[in-house]
Amino acid sequence: MDDRLVIVVGYDGIELIDLACVTSGFEHANRQGARPPYRVVFTTPAGRPVRSDTGLEVRGQTGLDRVDGRVDTLVVSGGLGHEAASRDPRLVGQVRRVAAVSRRVASVCTGATVLAAAGLLDGRRATTHWHYADALADRFPRVHVDPAPVYVRDGVVSTSGGVTAALDLTLAFVEEDHGAETARRVAMGMVTYLHRPGDQAQVSQFTGVPRPEQLLLRRVVDHVVGHLGDDLGAARLAALVDVSERHLSRLFARHVGRSPARYVRDARLEAASRMLVATSEPLTAVARRCGFASAESLRQAFVARFGLTPSRFRAEHTPRRAAGR
């Protein structure tokens, strides 16, 4: 094989980050010596320029209808134009045709809508941007939509969550093709998180819960995030902002949707899950730094929340993190 042909599909209303994460990720792999290298071709309907959802225009290198012969990877971009694209029978038909000659097929974010329209997700588990997951499930009931993961791989078809999840999926492809060390160097070169596992939630604790507009709560939340190893009991947090525990609990329920104790526990679990994937710290150190009394208390909280032990979670992802070191 002289190269790995990657066909990226765009249309009016694509998201530029979706496009750039894929094309730049594969190009960075080439710079790291990937052999055979990737040859990325950006295609559009009839090869015409397309307008991104920010208004910038991007020129296609060729038309999707002109793609002929074997393809290594087909990737359909996402963007606000995904609904219109999925209702374009010519585009959908070409995606279906090229997918039939591709080693693997993928979508980024709302590009899953186009794959679903082509029948490529029928009977498969798939994800998309969490905001559009219900719409995808309603329109395509034969698709098993899971809005939580960063990406999902079901056989030869992969789908990724919102926007920058495209980079996580691209890194997974690079690792599959060229090994964990190459993927690690690509991640370092792009100054990104070292390959979030696909089953990690799209929306983390710190982005999934909006930073409260209420100024007093904002002080409390910022303190929690910055001091996970400290005493974060309700009494201590209430004293921090000079209110009663009862009043603080009412504020949390109204503005955050959970109790102070639940927020603290979730924040600590989120931080622990990140450390388990990104570091080789022993469990006792992870527990201590994230505010758990012991490795056993971390284990109990982890099992209750995620359904598996911290050790099991780390073991499943250790090869990705440690290979080649």
Side-chain angles (χ1 to χ4, degrees), residues 48-65:
R48 63 175 174 78
V50 294
R51 186 175 294 274
S52 74
D53 55 18
T54 61
L56 296 177
E57 199 170 71
V58 186
R59 186 175 63 185
Q61 294 170 272
T62 188
L64 181 60
D65 58 315

Side-chain angles (χ1 to χ4, degrees), residues 74 76 92 94-100 105-106 112 114-126 143 154 156-159:
L74 172 67
V76 179
V92 170
Q94 290 299 327
V95 167
R96 187 184 300 114
R97 178 187 66 82
V98 177
V105 177
V114 178
L115 290 189
L120 299 171
L121 299 182
D122 286 354
R124 295 185 187 274
R125 179 170 170 258
V143 181
D154 189 333
V156 299
V157 180
S158 300
T159 50

Side-chain angles (χ1 to χ4, degrees), residues 133-317:
D134 287 344
L136 181 67
D138 289 343
R139 183 177 166 193
F140 301 101
R142 297 182 65 184
V143 181
H144 307 301
V145 179
D146 184 347
V150 171
Y151 60 84
V152 169
R153 305 187 68 176
D154 189 333
V156 299
V157 180
S158 300
T159 50
S160 71
V163 197
T164 56
L167 183 53
D168 297 289
L169 181 58
T170 302
L171 286 170
F173 286 158
V174 170
E175 180 175 328
E176 176 184 293
D177 298 338
H178 302 288
E181 177 60 18
T182 298
R184 185 180 72 85
R185 292 200 304 267
V186 170
M188 291 176 62
M190 298 183 74
V191 196
T192 188
Y193 187 90
L194 186 54
H195 185 190
R196 290 178 294 177
D199 54 4
Q200 182 169 316
Q202 288 186 43
V203 183
S204 76
Q205 164 70 14
F206 305 122
T207 58
V209 178
R211 191 162 176 251
E213 293 293 334
Q214 214 278 346
L215 292 179
L216 183 148
L217 275 186
R218 189 180 300 177
R219 287 177 56 196
V220 174
V221 166
D222 288 349
H223 179 81
V224 168
V225 172
H227 302 82
L228 291 175
D230 294 355
D231 174 11
L232 297 177
R236 175 71 183 88
L237 295 179
L240 180 71
V241 289
D242 196 26
V243 298
S244 69
E245 291 183 48
R246 178 175 294 182
H247 183 59
L248 183 66
S249 295
R250 285 198 296 264
L251 288 175
F252 262 87
R254 182 184 312 151
H255 297 282
V256 183
R258 63 191 72 183
S259 68
R262 174 66 180 273
Y263 187 92
V264 169
R265 185 188 66 181
D266 289 347
R268 284 171 167 163
L269 281 170
E270 172 69 17
S273 68
R274 289 172 182 264
M275 283 191 66
L276 287 168
V277 174
T279 77
S280 299
E281 294 274 0
L283 294 185
T284 52
V286 173
R288 182 179 65 254
R289 290 180 58 183
C290 296
F292 292 93
S294 65
E296 176 59 21
S297 62
L298 170 63
R299 189 194 70 81
Q300 293 176 1
F302 215 86
V303 170
R305 174 70 182 274
F306 301 115
L308 74 169
T309 66
S311 296
R312 174 68 180 275
F313 181 84
R314 168 173 274 174
E316 289 180 356
H317 302 290

